[in-house]
Amino acid sequence: ARISSSANSHTSFFFQGVTQKIIISGTVLDEKSTPVPGVGIKSLKTNKSTVTDAAGRFSIEVESATEQLSFSYIGYTTQTRAAGSGATPLSIKLVPAEGVNLDDVVVVGYGTRRKSDVTGAVGSVKEEQLKERPAASLNQALSGRISGVQVNSNSGRPGGQTNIRIRGFSSIKTTNNPLYVIDGVILPVGSQTQNSNAIDFLNPGDIASVEVLKDASSVAIYGARGANGVILVTTKKGSATGGKISYDVDFSVPTIGPKRVEMLNAKEFIEVENLAFDNAKIYDPEGFAGGKYVDPRIKRKNLPLLFDSNGNPLYDTDWFKEATQNKLSQNHQLGFTGGNAENTYGLFLNYRDDNGLLKNSYLKRYSGRFTMDSQIKTWMKVGGSLNYTNQTENLVDIGTGGLNSVRMITESFPFLPVKYPNGTWADNQNYPGAEGGSNPVHILTDRKYILQTQNTLGNAYANINLAEGLEFRSVIGANIVTRGRSEYNGRSLYGISFDQKGTATLDNNRETYWSFENYLTYNKRFAKDHAITGLLGLSWQKTNIFGFAVGGENFSTDYLEYNNLSGASKPIPGSSRADRFAFNSYFGRLNYSFKDKYLFTVTGRMDGSSKFGSNNKYAFFPSGAVAWKVSEEDFIKGSPVISNLKLRASYGLTGNSEIASFSSLGVLGTGYAAIFNNTRFGGVGTNRLANPNLKWEKTGQSDIGVELGLFNNRISIEADVYYRKTTDMLLDAPVPLTSGYSFITRNIGSMENRGLEFAINTVNVSTEDFTWNTAFNISMNRNKVLSLATPADIFGVGNPGFTNETGIIRVGEAVGSFWGLTRLGTWSESERTEAAKYNYRGKTILPGDVKYLDVNGDYQINDADRMIIGNGSPKAWGSFSNTFKYKNVDLTVELQYSAGNDVLNMTKHSAEDRVGLANSYSSVLNAWTPQNQNTPIAAIRDTRAGYVTNVDTRWVEDGSFIRGRNLLLGYNFPAAITKKLKLNRLRVYTSVQNFFLATKFSGNDPEVTTYSNAFAQGQTFFDYPKPTTYMVGLNVGL
Amino acid sequence: KKFLEEKDPSNLTPETYYTIPEHGEAAIAAAYAQTRFIGNGAGIFVANFSMLEMVTGTARTETGQNSDLNNLLGLSFNGENLLVRNWWAGLYNVIAQTNLVIEKVPAINPMDATRKAQILGEARFLRAWAYFYLVRLYGDVPLITTPQTATSPDFYPTRTGTELVYKQITDDLTAAEEAGLPWQDASGRVSKGAVKSLLSKVYLTMAGQPLNKGAAYYKLAADKSLEVMTSSGYGLFPSYADLHSLSQENKGEHIFQIQYLATVSGNPMQQLLLPNFKNVSAYSDEMGSTVPTTKFYQSFEAGDLRAKDREGFFYTSYYTGGNGELKALNAPYIFKHFDVVANGTLGTAGTTQSDLNWPQIRFAEVLLTYAEAQNRADGTPNIAAYEALNKIRRRALIPELSGLSQTAFEEAVWRERWHELCYEGITWFDMVRLRKVYNESTNGFDNFVGHAFAESPSTVLAEKHLLFPLPSVEIKNNPNLRPQNLGY
């Protein structure tokens, strides 16, 4: 830009008292120094405004040099600058907005709205943010992004085994998972396996934006399926400005994570086992005298493959190391987009090959997507997309509770080699007196659990402009998921398939879903101050599921695996299942705004579901919301401090209908086989009680929120408080067992969640060369069960069982509560008489035994002494991330934290209370001895001489943590270079994910569960260790 | 509206079923299948059958990981105990299914009248079998004799007096006697012999605690058992090995058994009964869940074949891996239920697939029921009673008895019951019925209340242990069941 000559002359003719005009001119550039057309420039004093031209140039008249000019552009932080004398042209460099931009358009159910006009609590994540942390699944990518959304990545498995909760729990029996809607097509909740979620099969690289609807006003449009929140995914579209090619690639390697548990080494194990034998004399004198126990010193002498003649071990194996791999993973994403203002298309291809930390653990995905949109007539737009994904995974950590791979990493004896010199596997089973099992490398090699999922997702739409502001839209959506499980457990896997001489299972499931939705949208502004948007629609959805499974046992060879079941000597009777359910719904919404300051939204949906009793097929879910844009009021408008202030409040009802189909019908079961004459005889017997009154679970939610922007939104804050109450909870209400049934599915019981969400984004430094942005969020949720079907506590629902019930659902308490005894420590010598008043399994308690709190003082330790001993839900969680940009280099440091969540670490029970049966944690070196009486760990003894072990407070640990989630260093090649290469974008980056973990938790990782049960968060029994992942990536655009 | 109508393609509904004879067969088959709950798991390393052994003092465990089992063993159990709940639920499931059969099958027409009567007889036997367990375990229990829906009047039932429950049991069994069942049935179905044997057992129990019906019922028990003894076909096996041999299932000495078949549902007790990880079987899981106490094992008379290693009811050594070198175990384990085919034997590897049935009524028990009942009914043992007792002793290679007083004979029979019928879920009910417990040290009988277990003297039976508690959850869900049994 050049200096305006007139500006010079004007300043020279300056007269006092007369308003002189100064013409200020300049150029606006983006972060890549490219001129930006269309940037809004406004004088904050006179409200005079203009926009930049095609070359990014502008000129504007001001009254004084001190007058403030603001520069605003969608997607960038609004900047303010003093006009100056006009002597030098202004050069404004825009900084991409990290925080909320008020003019961003967000997707809401069945439509879009400007962020500033939204009356509900909606969180939004854009493609650019998702790119910062490449992830295998959407859930992983969302983690920590939005307040109120809790994503637990509970396993180091590729894909992560995520668990997502929006604002706590709404249900005990049905799902707590949100509803996913992709490009307006509701994904079926359907049947899932192995903690996978329908959304896991979507390639995150295809996502343009994600919106999370949290409050009742936003989700009510999804009525009976909105109670757990709704996640709206918008996929990438074609380009309106000509052909573009993008290529994104990353390579990564997993390594053993920041924390690992220590097990006994060979030498320590031998000492511990010797002591265990010696102590049997004390804890079972009779059995010891009778010769019941074998001296391990002698035992080892007979094992020349493992011990030398002095009984010293020949090997000292680190099984963690042996079982893990550092294998390269890669992910390629190729995008072709093209088109013009009328017609756009896009083709996206993805190949992902993830190799997990554990040997032979992988996830491979091929996906392709084609999308097309065409303004075929001035009054009609049509389009659609078709997406196909083929995903294959080997889940190597299945079989929680059994002697599976992850368990044997801890429990394999350190004195075993992986294989003996003759090439055969060395397994715990080879060591007399041990519990058995195979070594982890053996299991990882000979056990396959292949999940193959093919997902076809498509939609086609037509938008017809019927009249000014009136649009009709019709969408057909379809989702066909075929899911196959091919499982083979080898003939030599002790404790898994050795007794069966190999087991194979094939399970196939096909889920076909279609939806057909039609709706009218009407937009109109009346007079000047009244604007309305109306929506009215109806919808049909149907799901059909069919599946079958076959299997066989007893194979003469491992060669066939699951590929030829006729090789099985013992066929397992096949089974099949069919399921279908349908929805029919009517919905509507009205938005009204007055003077663009006062916003009102009313929503309602009438939903009908086949799953409910004949007396209750339909239900209505209304909601309402108001918002007040305070910053539009004259008393604030133009304030140099407050640039945005919006208050909003909403209330509404939503539902949850995700119970099994046919739950209202009384049925007979075929799961009864009698045996007559040593042959199977199929029986048909009692199975389920009918309940024709079965209906929806209802959640009422109120929400109050505030959105605040300060200093031109350099600081933006969004905070919400909410209260959710679920009533008519669908519960398997226990019925008297005397009826021959154990429960009836009923609408009874209630539960509440109260919570607080707070997010702040700040632009700390913003100069031409250096910017620093911070994003912090914190969420808190408190859950309480208000009433249940009967006064009785519920056990065995939502929690896994262990040596005892591990969890309880009790009125007045939060779901996810752990249940057990309180361990006070161990009995000391001086307490011998007191200890002797207790007996356990008929045996008198001695010094060195575990000392429990005898709650009722009856000298019996039993169920009456159990109580709530912890809870797996955090008191607060969130993330804290900082992004620094210096010229073309950027650095992102993202931390994730969780506070107040307990972990029920049952792994420790196995690794501390069963010395000798398997390897133990090295913490047993601190076990009770007469010299070390002040310890919580019982005296070591041969297990047959009796450990007392229970679900107790010893296994409950504080799982609070701070995790270094992602450390990313990127470099954008400057325009000069990209131009030379004929590219419009070239970026390289390197990242380390899970780069540190600060926690008091003694296990591998406190963000964990090894169970799929709804309230099992934090309950772990040998988990897939989470890796630290090193990554390099490249983004190319041309 | 049709769009939202529901029809379950994978399941049947009670309204539309029960139309042809095959439906009657499928319905009674389900009741048989339900009886297998006795072997079903109850948490880690435990099956339900252990409940009846842990409280007798004759058994212990080598695994400490199941606290429900531990609490039973230490007599510190209460209504929260999972096994206590599983027995209650399992028995009422059998009852619900037999109620369904008894209500629905008569309406199936056309159907062969003989077969219809038999099915109803089988159902009545199984219902009586279930109620007999219930009334002995829990005392007064709800008496449900019709299929339930959520609107049934007795959906939240009250408890029925023990006496009336017994009346239902004897009514059902008396009816089943006339149902045209064959005397024996090697297929594993209920036979007339099973009905009469169970009835004799019921009468014997009614004669003792808690009903104390005395001589008249001892007479009924003696007569009923004599009918079985004099029928052809039943008798003692010559060898104890036959008791757990696949070829002798449902015949000879076995009058009624719970049926197992690996391809449908394998015998789940095998691994549980093996010594804890001693590698004496083809099974890789050896749990030691229920094993004999040494004191009880040592209480067998010198020379008793039943205590001889691998020849009677116990083993103290076995083959490494099930088929290798003989290995001393230095402690007794239960051989009575040991499936040689599944575990392996010298030179033959085990299949780890157990088809072995689980006994419920054996001819040996009928003999001892007769001996005890006749002695009490007539005031003195007759020749047949001596012969019944001595048949058992003869097989055990221990001296025959003669010339005993009424009480000495009775104690001899009791002692024999302890030793012959151990680990079959019988001993506990003898303890309750007699209010006596065999004392391994004195070889005599202690009163139930105050008896201390030989191997864990701090474990002492109290009055409250005469009944198990009702499952706590059941009492909470159905307040009509209050009060809980005394002492819990």
Side-chain angles (χ1 to χ4, degrees):
Chain A
R2 291 180 299 107
I3 302 166
S4 158
S5 55
S6 58
N8 275 334
S9 53
H10 273 280
T11 43
S12 55
F13 295 96
F14 186 84
F15 287 97
Q16 217 168 13
V18 180
T19 306
Q20 292 296 321
K21 307 283 184 191
I22 314 172
I23 302 292
I24 305 294
S25 67
T27 315
V28 182
L29 305 171
D30 69 6
E31 74 275 23
K32 294 168 201 146
S33 299
T34 316
V36 188
V39 176
I41 298 117
K42 190 163 98 174
S43 159
L44 294 178
K45 191 177 171 205
T46 62
N47 276 337
K48 204 167 265 180
S49 64
T50 182
V51 292
T52 52
D53 64 14
R57 288 175 305 212
F58 70 93
S59 70
I60 188 169
E61 204 175 61
V62 297
E63 293 172 356
S64 76
T66 54
E67 202 171 308
Q68 295 288 317
L69 292 177
S70 85
F71 299 83
S72 63
Y73 189 65
I74 291 178
Y76 291 86
T77 311
T78 300
Q79 293 186 34
T80 320
R81 201 64 90 75
S85 65
T88 20
L90 294 175
S91 175
I92 309 295
K93 193 150 194 184
L94 291 176
V95 177
E98 295 299 322
V100 185
N101 191 305
L102 298 174
D103 290 323
D104 275 356
V105 167
V106 297
V107 180
V108 295
Y110 303 99
T112 55
R113 289 197 74 71
R114 282 193 308 162
K115 172 74 184 157
S116 58
D117 287 344
V118 168
T119 53
V122 178
S124 185
V125 181
K126 301 288 181 214
E127 181 190 345
E128 288 306 315
Q129 286 164 279
L130 295 176
K131 269 206 174 135
E132 282 172 9
R133 194 174 69 216
S137 75
L138 169 66
N139 282 355
Q140 278 186 319
L142 274 184
S143 171
R145 300 287 190 199
I146 298 171
S147 62
V149 179
Q150 189 188 2
V151 179
N152 290 303
S153 291
N154 286 317
S155 162
R157 217 187 244 183
Q161 197 189 326
T162 54
N163 171 334
I164 186 163
R165 297 281 171 266
I166 299 173
R167 296 186 166 179
F169 299 90
S170 78
S171 186
I172 287 175
K173 178 182 160 63
T174 81
T175 186
N176 283 294
N177 291 334
L179 185 71
Y180 293 93
V181 181
I182 300 183
D183 294 330
V185 177
I186 295 174
L187 275 197
V189 178
S191 62
Q192 314 293 343
T193 47
Q194 288 295 321
N195 308 324
S196 71
N197 213 306
I199 197 69
D200 293 343
F201 308 111
L202 183 77
N203 166 26
D206 285 347
I207 297 171
S209 73
V210 183
E211 265 80 22
V212 179
L213 313 183
K214 298 188 284 192
D215 74 327
S217 165
S218 320
V219 298
I221 197 74
Y222 291 103
R225 311 177 78 178
N228 298 317
V230 179
I231 296 182
L232 304 178
V233 177
T234 307
T235 58
K236 291 177 184 166
K237 295 282 180 200
S239 145
T241 55
K244 284 180 183 161
I245 301 173
S246 68
Y247 174 60
D248 301 305
V249 59
D250 60 68
F251 296 93
S252 59
V253 173
T255 61
I256 291 176
K259 253 186 123 270
R260 62 164 286 190
V261 194
E262 290 304 321
M263 280 78 86
L264 295 172
N265 65 26
K267 211 162 153 265
E268 289 166 339
F269 178 84
I270 283 165
E271 281 162 21
V272 162
E273 195 191 21
N274 290 346
L275 181 61
F277 168 76
D278 298 343
N279 277 349
K281 201 181 328 183
I282 299 163
Y283 293 97
D284 181 14
E286 217 164 89
F288 192 86
K292 223 185 115 185
Y293 301 97
V294 180
D295 190 335
R297 298 165 185 94
I298 295 165
K299 174 170 77 174
R300 287 182 216 117
K301 291 211 163 131
N302 298 323
L303 296 165
L305 285 175
L306 300 171
F307 300 95
D308 67 16
S309 52
N310 298 320
N312 293 319
L314 301 176
Y315 304 95
D316 192 359
T317 303
D318 180 347
W319 287 106
F320 206 135
K321 257 197 185 134
E322 295 295 340
T324 52
Q325 62 184 7
N326 307 117
K327 205 170 165 186
L328 191 70
S329 298
Q330 48 186 314
N331 180 33
H332 303 265
Q333 169 92 13
L334 197 51
F336 304 94
T337 53
N340 50 38
E342 280 76 45
N343 301 296
T344 65
Y345 61 88
L347 176 67
F348 305 91
L349 303 169
N350 174 253
Y351 168 63
R352 169 176 283 276
D353 178 14
D354 271 8
N355 289 297
L357 181 62
L358 294 184
K359 280 187 174 153
N360 297 325
S361 153
Y362 64 81
L363 180 155
K364 285 183 208 296
R365 184 195 290 149
Y366 301 87
S367 76
R369 201 167 64 84
F370 181 73
T371 177
M372 188 274 287
D373 300 272
S374 171
Q375 190 75 47
I376 199 158
K377 296 281 174 197
T378 49
W379 50 271
M380 185 186 209
K381 188 174 182 185
V382 294
S385 68
L386 188 63
N387 182 44
Y388 175 80
T389 307
N390 185 340
Q391 179 169 313
T392 310
E393 296 166 84
N394 185 18
L395 306 185
V396 299
D397 58 326
I398 50 133
T400 294
L403 302 176
N404 65 356
S405 61
V406 276
R407 180 170 184 178
M408 295 316 289
I409 288 174
T410 302
E411 298 206 334
S412 281
F413 293 123
F415 54 75
L416 292 173
V418 177
K419 283 186 172 179
Y420 293 113
N422 71 1
T424 57
W425 295 106
D427 296 319
N428 275 19
Q429 186 80 16
N430 307 146
Y431 194 59
E435 184 175 45
S438 293
N439 86 50
V441 185
H442 185 183
I443 301 171
L444 291 167
T445 309
D446 282 0
R447 179 177 225 185
K448 285 189 178 163
Y449 191 103
I450 310 288
L451 269 185
Q452 186 159 51
T453 311
Q454 286 150 320
N455 189 8
T456 308
L457 178 68
N459 72 73
Y461 72 87
N463 285 359
I464 300 169
N465 213 332
L466 297 173
E468 166 92 43
L470 180 64
E471 191 179 74
F472 171 75
R473 183 175 167 93
S474 182
V475 192
I476 296 174
N479 188 194
I480 301 161
V481 185
T482 49
R483 193 179 285 116
R485 166 163 72 96
S486 309
E487 182 180 358
Y488 183 72
N489 300 296
R491 302 169 71 242
S492 58
L493 293 177
Y494 296 108
I496 295 172
S497 45
F498 177 83
D499 289 356
Q500 294 77 21
K501 306 200 170 43
T503 61
T505 312
L506 291 173
D507 191 328
N508 200 286
N509 201 52
R510 188 184 65 236
E511 186 171 333
T512 314
Y513 163 87
W514 60 258
S515 66
F516 182 44
E517 301 195 299
N518 295 283
Y519 54 94
L520 286 164
T521 314
Y522 183 61
N523 269 302
K524 178 87 183 164
R525 187 172 273 273
F526 297 97
K528 183 169 165 275
D529 293 336
H530 310 275
I532 62 160
T533 305
L535 168 77
L536 208 57
L538 69 171
S539 148
W540 292 271
Q541 298 166 40
K542 187 158 185 177
T543 299
N544 275 290
I545 298 174
F546 183 79
F548 61 90
V550 286
E553 291 180 2
N554 200 333
F555 292 83
S556 62
T557 169
D558 280 340
Y559 177 79
L560 297 173
E561 298 186 333
Y562 39 70
N563 298 309
N564 187 349
L565 286 181
S566 57
S569 298
K570 180 183 168 187
I572 305 291
S575 64
S576 60
R577 58 198 173 269
D579 188 9
R580 56 185 66 136
F581 50 91
F583 284 88
N584 170 216
S585 321
Y586 308 87
F587 51 89
R589 179 173 56 211
L590 185 68
N591 300 101
Y592 166 69
S593 78
F594 177 63
K595 293 192 171 209
D596 286 328
K597 279 190 263 188
Y598 311 101
L599 311 169
F600 303 88
T601 305
V602 184
T603 309
R605 183 169 177 127
M606 170 84 107
D607 260 323
S609 165
S610 66
K611 288 182 180 177
F612 291 93
S614 46
N615 304 342
N616 280 313
K617 287 287 187 203
Y618 282 88
F620 181 65
F621 300 94
S623 84
V626 293
W628 176 28
K629 289 202 225 169
V630 185
S631 49
E632 295 296 311
E633 298 286 357
D634 293 340
F635 58 86
I636 293 190
K637 215 166 180 175
S639 152
V641 180
I642 298 174
S643 38
N644 174 41
L645 176 61
K646 181 164 82 178
L647 303 175
R648 49 182 169 71
S650 70
Y651 178 77
L653 287 179
T654 49
N656 191 334
S657 63
E658 300 306 330
I659 54 167
S661 313
F662 320 120
S663 296
S664 71
L665 306 178
V667 296
L668 295 170
T670 49
Y672 302 99
I675 299 156
F676 299 130
N677 281 321
N678 276 338
T679 26
R680 179 190 182 90
F681 192 103
V684 173
T686 54
N687 184 297
R688 189 165 60 214
L689 286 165
N691 180 4
N693 296 321
L694 203 65
K695 59 180 182 190
W696 321 86
E697 203 164 83
K698 235 185 265 166
T699 297
Q701 182 174 188
S702 42
D703 180 289
I704 294 173
V706 56
E707 292 164 26
L708 177 65
L710 301 173
F711 310 109
N712 276 313
N713 294 337
R714 271 184 74 156
I715 297 172
S716 67
I717 292 168
E718 184 160 358
D720 278 87
V721 288
Y722 61 85
Y723 178 83
R724 301 168 70 199
K725 183 173 172 186
T726 304
T727 51
D728 290 341
M729 234 184 335
L730 286 163
L731 278 181
D732 283 343
V735 297
L737 297 165
T738 47
S739 63
Y741 300 90
S742 52
F743 65 85
I744 183 169
T745 309
R746 280 176 67 192
N747 294 91
I748 195 159
S750 57
M751 179 158 80
E752 67 171 26
N753 288 277
R754 284 172 297 145
L756 193 66
E757 294 162 6
F758 178 82
I760 178 166
N761 290 281
T762 58
V763 180
N764 305 324
V765 179
S766 174
T767 67
E768 194 165 325
D769 284 340
F770 181 66
T771 57
W772 171 26
N773 297 300
T774 299
F776 171 81
N777 69 57
I778 184 165
S779 310
M780 289 176 246
N781 186 71
R782 296 288 180 275
N783 171 281
K784 190 156 100 180
V785 177
L786 300 175
S787 65
L788 293 171
T790 65
D793 299 326
I794 299 181
F795 290 104
V797 176
N799 288 287
F802 206 75
T803 62
N804 287 99
E805 302 288 357
T806 56
I808 183 174
I809 301 171
R810 170 177 280 182
V811 172
E813 302 288 343
V815 294
S817 295
F818 307 150
W819 180 245
L821 295 171
T822 303
R823 188 187 294 207
L824 299 174
T826 43
W827 292 99
S828 66
E829 286 289 0
S830 61
E831 295 169 307
R832 183 177 289 273
T833 338
E834 184 67 11
K837 292 180 185 168
Y838 291 90
N839 84 66
Y840 207 68
R841 56 172 179 146
K843 206 177 73 65
T844 303
I845 293 297
L846 297 172
D849 277 327
V850 172
K851 179 182 183 179
Y852 291 111
L853 179 66
D854 182 8
V855 174
N856 56 6
D858 62 355
Y859 290 100
Q860 292 186 337
I861 299 301
N862 60 18
D863 295 301
D865 301 304
R866 292 178 212 280
M867 55 171 109
I868 289 176
I869 54 175
N871 191 293
S873 296
K875 297 203 160 50
W877 73 92
S879 69
F880 178 57
S881 75
N882 282 284
T883 304
F884 307 89
K885 284 188 181 145
Y886 178 71
K887 294 192 170 165
N888 292 323
V889 179
D890 54 276
L891 175 73
T892 301
V893 186
E894 189 190 349
L895 307 179
Q896 172 201 6
Y897 66 91
S898 177
N901 54 307
D902 295 319
V903 179
L904 183 61
N905 186 7
M906 293 308 294
T907 308
K908 216 157 140 183
H909 138 82
S910 193
E912 268 186 7
D913 273 359
R914 300 167 359 109
V915 162
L917 285 184
N919 198 17
S920 299
Y921 279 0
S922 52
S923 58
V924 298
L925 296 172
N926 179 36
W928 191 96
T929 61
Q931 293 74 41
N932 181 32
Q933 301 195 24
N934 187 17
T935 168
I937 304 172
I940 288 164
R941 78 284 306 262
D942 188 295
T943 48
R944 282 146 286 230
Y947 275 99
V948 174
T949 191
N950 279 291
V951 177
D952 71 47
T953 48
R954 168 77 183 152
W955 321 132
V956 178
E957 299 188 52
D958 181 357
S960 303
F961 67 88
I962 300 174
R963 183 193 307 283
R965 173 116 207 173
N966 189 23
L967 182 67
L968 181 137
L969 183 65
Y971 179 74
N972 287 308
F973 285 85
I977 295 176
T978 52
K979 265 195 191 119
K980 238 179 245 165
L981 295 169
K982 305 222 185 308
L983 301 174
N984 64 30
R985 187 177 59 125
L986 181 62
R987 172 178 165 79
V988 290
Y989 63 90
T990 173
S991 127
V992 195
Q993 301 190 14
N994 192 22
F995 63 96
F996 83 88
L997 179 64
T999 179
K1000 281 188 269 177
F1001 179 62
S1002 70
N1004 291 326
D1005 199 308
E1007 185 186 1
V1008 70
T1009 177
T1010 50
Y1011 301 94
S1012 55
N1013 310 55
F1015 309 125
Q1017 185 59 39
Q1019 299 191 27
T1020 174
F1021 190 60
F1022 298 103
D1023 48 294
Y1024 189 129
K1026 237 175 265 174
T1028 294
T1029 304
Y1030 294 87
M1031 180 181 279
V1032 291
L1034 178 72
N1035 307 124
V1036 186
L1038 74 162
Chain B
K1 304 319 109 204
K2 196 150 185 219
F3 190 67
L4 299 182
E5 249 172 45
E6 244 193 340
K7 211 173 121 193
D8 184 345
S10 301
N11 284 297
L12 303 155
T13 61
E15 292 79 30
T16 55
Y17 201 61
Y18 308 113
T19 50
I20 59 170
E22 284 82 349
H23 297 171
E25 297 287 359
I28 190 69
Y32 280 99
Q34 299 264 39
T35 61
R36 291 198 299 263
F37 85 86
I38 286 185
N40 286 356
I44 187 169
F45 297 156
V46 170
N48 293 325
F49 80 92
S50 286
M51 182 174 92
L52 299 181
E53 307 304 335
M54 286 297 134
V55 288
T56 61
T58 63
R60 56 187 183 89
T61 184
E62 291 184 331
T63 172
Q65 296 194 54
N66 189 301
S67 46
D68 289 319
L69 191 75
N70 294 337
N71 287 336
L72 286 162
L73 193 50
L75 296 178
S76 59
F77 56 91
N78 58 17
E80 308 279 341
N81 196 284
L82 181 62
L83 288 89
V84 168
R85 192 177 84 198
N86 286 353
W87 273 89
W88 176 274
L91 291 165
Y92 272 109
N93 283 344
V94 174
I95 289 164
Q97 187 58 32
T98 52
N99 285 341
L100 203 56
V101 173
I102 291 164
E103 181 173 280
K104 298 286 188 182
V105 170
I108 299 178
N109 276 310
M111 184 174 179
D112 177 59
T114 315
R115 187 64 198 125
K116 188 187 273 187
Q118 283 178 339
I119 287 178
L120 293 171
E122 292 170 57
R124 290 199 140 203
F125 171 89
L126 292 174
R127 185 163 73 177
W129 173 86
Y131 271 120
F132 186 42
Y133 270 120
L134 276 171
V135 76
R136 288 180 295 167
L137 289 170
Y138 305 100
D140 298 351
V141 291
L143 188 63
I144 312 282
T145 54
T146 52
Q148 300 288 295
T149 67
T151 50
S152 295
D154 46 358
F155 196 69
Y156 290 92
T158 54
R159 298 168 76 164
T160 301
T162 302
E163 179 106 34
L164 281 175
V165 178
Y166 270 105
K167 182 171 182 307
Q168 182 67 46
I169 294 168
T170 52
D171 285 355
D172 273 342
L173 290 174
T174 315
E177 277 186 291
E178 305 306 322
L181 297 168
W183 260 103
Q184 278 186 299
D185 194 332
S187 73
R189 288 179 181 271
V190 172
S191 64
K192 188 186 263 188
V195 176
K196 288 182 185 290
S197 302
L198 183 59
L199 193 50
S200 75
K201 214 170 147 168
V202 170
Y203 285 141
L204 182 72
T205 307
M206 291 173 79
Q209 299 280 3
L211 293 182
N212 285 319
K213 289 188 170 290
Y217 274 74
Y218 282 118
K219 175 86 172 63
L220 286 171
D223 292 350
K224 206 45 77 182
S225 44
L226 194 62
E227 280 186 55
V228 180
M229 285 157 62
T230 52
S231 77
S232 63
Y234 293 116
L236 292 184
F237 289 132
S239 152
Y240 294 115
D242 293 336
L243 284 176
H244 48 108
S245 151
L246 293 171
S247 60
Q248 300 299 329
E249 290 186 330
N250 305 322
K251 49 185 149 175
E253 189 166 344
H254 287 306
I255 297 175
F256 183 60
Q257 294 187 290
I258 292 174
Q259 310 290 307
Y260 285 106
L261 184 70
T263 51
V264 178
S265 176
N267 176 322
M269 275 63 122
Q270 293 305 318
Q271 289 125 299
L272 292 168
L273 297 179
L274 290 169
N276 188 251
F277 305 118
K278 293 273 179 101
N279 189 25
V280 290
S281 161
Y283 284 106
S284 56
D285 273 350
E286 304 178 3
M287 301 171 190
S289 176
T290 296
V291 305
T293 58
T294 312
K295 285 267 162 54
F296 178 68
Y297 167 69
Q298 288 165 345
S299 73
F300 283 74
E301 285 176 49
D304 194 323
L305 190 60
R306 290 172 296 195
K308 194 170 175 195
D309 187 18
R310 284 173 285 123
E311 288 193 31
F313 297 164
F314 302 90
Y315 62 110
T316 53
S317 66
Y318 207 69
Y319 309 108
T320 304
N323 59 347
E325 203 179 319
L326 193 64
K327 178 193 277 188
L329 299 168
N330 298 322
Y333 297 93
I334 300 170
F335 204 55
K336 206 179 209 175
H337 305 299
F338 189 91
D339 186 344
V340 172
V341 175
N343 289 295
T345 187
L346 186 62
T348 310
T351 60
T352 66
Q353 307 290 313
S354 181
D355 296 336
L356 194 64
N357 289 346
W358 187 258
Q360 284 296 295
I361 308 172
R362 283 199 290 132
F363 188 69
E365 187 187 2
V366 177
L367 290 176
L368 292 171
T369 297
Y370 176 77
E372 182 182 350
Q374 184 279 327
N375 180 42
R376 284 295 288 268
D378 300 341
T380 178
N382 63 17
I383 295 169
Y386 270 111
E387 176 55 17
L389 175 63
N390 284 330
K391 264 187 181 158
I392 306 264
R393 295 182 62 86
R394 218 175 286 141
R395 182 168 66 168
L397 303 180
I398 48 174
E400 297 187 20
L401 300 175
S402 59
L404 301 175
S405 69
Q406 190 199 10
T407 47
F409 182 82
E410 182 167 54
E411 283 211 8
V413 175
W414 292 347
R415 206 175 289 118
E416 217 51 62
R417 286 185 72 94
W418 247 262
H419 290 126
E420 177 65 27
L421 304 176
C422 56
Y423 314 119
E424 294 183 57
I426 292 170
T427 307
W428 170 253
F429 295 120
D430 279 346
M431 288 163 62
V432 172
R433 171 175 71 89
L434 302 170
R435 301 225 168 159
K436 297 276 183 201
V437 188
Y438 176 63
N439 182 317
E440 290 93 335
S441 312
T442 63
N443 200 30
F445 284 83
D446 296 348
N447 283 328
F448 182 96
V449 177
H451 171 80
F453 288 171
E455 222 160 86
S456 49
S458 58
T459 311
V460 180
L461 285 165
E463 178 87 27
K464 71 169 188 177
H465 295 123
L466 288 166
L467 289 178
F468 278 85
L470 265 57
S472 303
V473 63
E474 187 78 344
I475 294 213
K476 284 179 187 158
N477 290 331
N478 178 11
N480 293 339
L481 296 178
R482 283 174 221 274
Q484 174 64 284
N485 285 339
L486 208 67
Y488 292 103

